[in-house]
């Protein structure tokens, strides 16, 4: 009888030890990469508004301005330009309809993106004392091809 | 040898970067209108020898409450400017006559 009891006790102890061993957590690890490819961009988040210049022959200078907003990826450099020929952000045009000359000047020609919209301006100036060409009391360039100007962002 | 490999790798990386679209300049554009309205003003004929010269313009008669005398005008190129509140005076020469033109803006 005593032998039987001892055998049972031994068996229980063995089972307990075995259960203890299987309850110990075993960690297995594996690594993986999070590969990120990023494309930086610029957008003209607020398009330039139209400019209206009203001028009287031989009169005073006419001025106007247009605002626009650019949003670029943080740290991305970009440049701004207008169509036509110009230097340092100042562009000279002669309107074919009225034969009036004017200049457009960018407030800045290059910048670096911040991730938020930054606003810039285009100043317009029509010099004083011009004659212009018009056979009637008033003319305008509505609908003329060269009334439309283009702002370009390069990045 | 290791340095040579490193240089080749750098050259290859540079070539790949140049070939990549990411290295190419990208552009976007927006258009806006520059609307121009030109008012031509009126060309007026100045009546001579009058203390209050009457000027006939395209849109009607203008009467000026000041005496215009040639010696009060300032020669500026081929025109006269400087007297009164109007925009411009100029001399018009033709084979038959010389007269002052007054350009008025409105």
């Amino acid at each position: 009888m005593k032998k039987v009891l001892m055998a049972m006790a031994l068996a229980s102890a063995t089972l307990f030890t075995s259960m203890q061993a299987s309850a110990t957590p075993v960690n297995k690890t594996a690594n993986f990469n999070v590969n990120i490819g990023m494309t930086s961009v610029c957008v003209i988040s607020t398009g330039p508004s139209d400019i209206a210049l009203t001028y009287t022959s031989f009169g005073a200078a006419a001025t106007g301005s247009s605002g626009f907003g650019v949003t670029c990826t943080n740290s991305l450099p970009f440049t701004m330009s207008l169509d036509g020929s110009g230097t340092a952000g100042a562009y000279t045009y002669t309107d074919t309809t009225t034969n009036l000359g004017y200049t457009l000047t960018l407030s800045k020609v290059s910048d670096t993106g911040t991730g938020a919209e930054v606003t810039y301006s285009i100043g317009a100036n029509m010099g004083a004392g011009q004659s212009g060409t018009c056979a009637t009391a008033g003319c305008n360039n509505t609908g003329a091809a060269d009334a439309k100007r283009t702002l370009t962002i390069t990045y | 040898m290791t340095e040579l490999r490193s240089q080749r790798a750098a050259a290859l990386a540079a070539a790949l970067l140049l070939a990549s679209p990411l290295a190419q300049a990208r552009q976007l554009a927006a258009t806006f209108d520059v609307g121009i309205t030109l008012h031509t003003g009126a060309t007026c004929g100045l009546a001579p020898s009058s203390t209050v010269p009457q000027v006939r313009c395209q849109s009607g008669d203008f009467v000026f409450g000041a005496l215009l005398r040639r010696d009060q005008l300032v020669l500026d190129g081929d025109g006269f400017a400087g007297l009164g509140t109007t925009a411009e005076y100029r001399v018009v020469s033709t084979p038959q006559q010389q007269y002052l033109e007054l350009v008025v803006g409105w």
Side-chain angles (χ1 to χ4, degrees):
Chain A
M1 181 63 181
K2 191 175 180 180
K3 283 183 181 177
V4 171
L5 287 174
M6 283 183 67
M8 286 178 65
L10 183 61
S12 297
T14 303
L15 182 62
F16 181 72
T17 304
S18 171
M19 286 176 66
Q20 263 197 321
S22 65
T24 301
V26 177
N27 294 327
K28 302 287 186 182
T29 62
N31 295 326
F32 63 100
N33 293 328
V34 178
N35 298 317
I36 298 174
M38 178 176 174
T39 302
S40 54
V41 296
C42 283
V43 295
I44 298 175
S45 39
T46 303
S49 52
D50 293 342
I51 297 172
L53 297 172
T54 301
Y55 191 83
T56 300
S57 290
F58 312 114
T63 60
S65 67
S66 171
F68 63 95
V70 179
T71 306
C72 287
T73 303
N74 191 28
S75 297
L76 178 65
F78 62 95
T79 61
M80 294 170 278
S81 62
L82 299 176
D83 62 295
S85 58
T87 55
Y91 298 80
T92 303
Y93 308 93
T94 299
D95 180 63
T96 55
T97 304
T98 60
N99 197 33
L100 290 171
Y102 65 95
T103 59
L104 297 179
T105 306
L106 282 163
S107 59
K108 208 167 186 179
V109 295
S110 64
D111 210 346
T112 302
T114 64
E117 182 183 62
V118 179
T119 57
Y120 305 94
S121 65
I122 302 167
N125 184 75
M126 181 172 282
Q130 298 185 67
S131 167
T133 298
C134 179
T136 57
C139 296
N140 64 66
N141 69 343
T142 303
D146 70 338
K148 197 170 290 295
R149 308 259 65 109
T150 302
L151 164 72
T152 300
I153 308 296
T154 303
Y155 60 98
Chain B
M1 189 62 178
T2 304
E3 188 179 351
L4 183 61
R5 281 184 182 166
S6 174
Q7 287 175 352
R8 283 180 178 170
L12 180 62
L16 288 172
L17 184 62
L18 285 174
S20 163
L22 293 177
Q24 295 173 358
R26 290 168 288 167
Q27 289 189 327
L28 63 154
T31 60
F32 61 100
D33 287 340
V34 178
I36 295 173
T37 300
L38 170 62
H39 293 162
T40 57
T43 300
C44 307
L46 185 64
S49 302
S50 171
T51 54
V52 182
Q54 188 173 30
V55 183
R56 182 171 294 277
C57 300
Q58 289 176 350
S59 57
D61 291 344
F62 288 73
V63 177
F64 290 84
L67 174 65
L68 296 179
R69 295 200 321 235
R70 185 186 176 96
D71 59 6
Q72 289 179 300
L73 302 178
V74 177
L75 182 63
D76 179 15
D78 61 352
F80 292 97
L83 184 67
T85 58
T86 50
E88 183 175 293
Y89 305 93
R90 65 187 181 201
V91 172
V92 175
S93 298
T94 67
Q96 286 78 31
Q97 59 180 338
Q98 277 195 336
Y99 59 95
L100 282 176
E101 268 193 356
L102 175 62
V103 178
V104 182
W106 72 86

